[in-house]
Amino acid sequence: LHALPAARRPVTRAARSLGFTLPQGQRPAAMAERKSAAKHAAAPAARPVKLFLGGLTRNTTTKQLRDHFVRYGRVLDCVAMRQPDGRPRGFGYVTLDSLAAAECCLAEVQVIDGRVIDMKRAVPGSASGPSGGSSPCAATFGQVSPLETARSSHSSSSGAS
């Protein structure tokens, strides 16, 4: 590194922080590129929004859902839920690329396959349901493993402690 003449040595971050510049005015162009990249990185990225679709008919397919919601924006994921044996479950999900597209969908009445469907923002599975998420009891007493729950219910029903 020091074998190069002083005019040809690369400028380190420490040198830049002290105000030293690259030879032949290269610093401003590099800084402009970095500022441009930082500006694009700082811009809020569109976050995908997942919507729950309830009340689907037995005949509604994933393709029908995708074809319906593509008019609101880019569809990242779409599924009409089915039982393991293939029977329809009557609900599904669609993930749109932006909040604006999702709000547009939610603002309008959606009719798919001749039926008005119930639509709302999807709630992550860990935040709802009896086994998922944190409850006030869990915050007070801590988490109880399923094994401890099984032991305590077994011991109380058999009379042993």
Side-chain angles (χ1 to χ4, degrees), residues 20-108:
F20 295 104
T21 61
L22 291 173
Q24 301 155 357
Q26 293 176 4
R27 181 173 180 224
M31 285 181 65
E33 287 176 19
R34 265 185 270 137
K35 282 183 180 179
S36 174
K39 182 192 275 187
H40 290 297
R47 296 187 56 141
V49 179
K50 189 172 190 175
L51 299 173
F52 168 81
L53 313 171
L56 300 177
T57 67
R58 299 177 61 88
N59 302 321
T60 304
T61 64
T62 298
K63 183 175 180 348
Q64 284 175 306
L65 293 177
R66 184 174 298 278
D67 292 344
H68 179 81
F69 287 102
V70 76
R71 70 183 80 157
Y72 296 99
R74 201 170 90 205
V75 176
L76 302 179
D77 189 27
C78 185
V79 63
M81 300 301 289
R82 298 198 169 273
Q83 299 281 0
D85 63 1
R87 290 181 298 153
R89 295 187 65 189
F91 69 95
Y93 296 97
V94 63
T95 304
L96 298 170
D97 66 340
S98 69
L99 180 61
E103 286 177 347
C104 188
C105 285
L106 292 169
E108 297 177 10

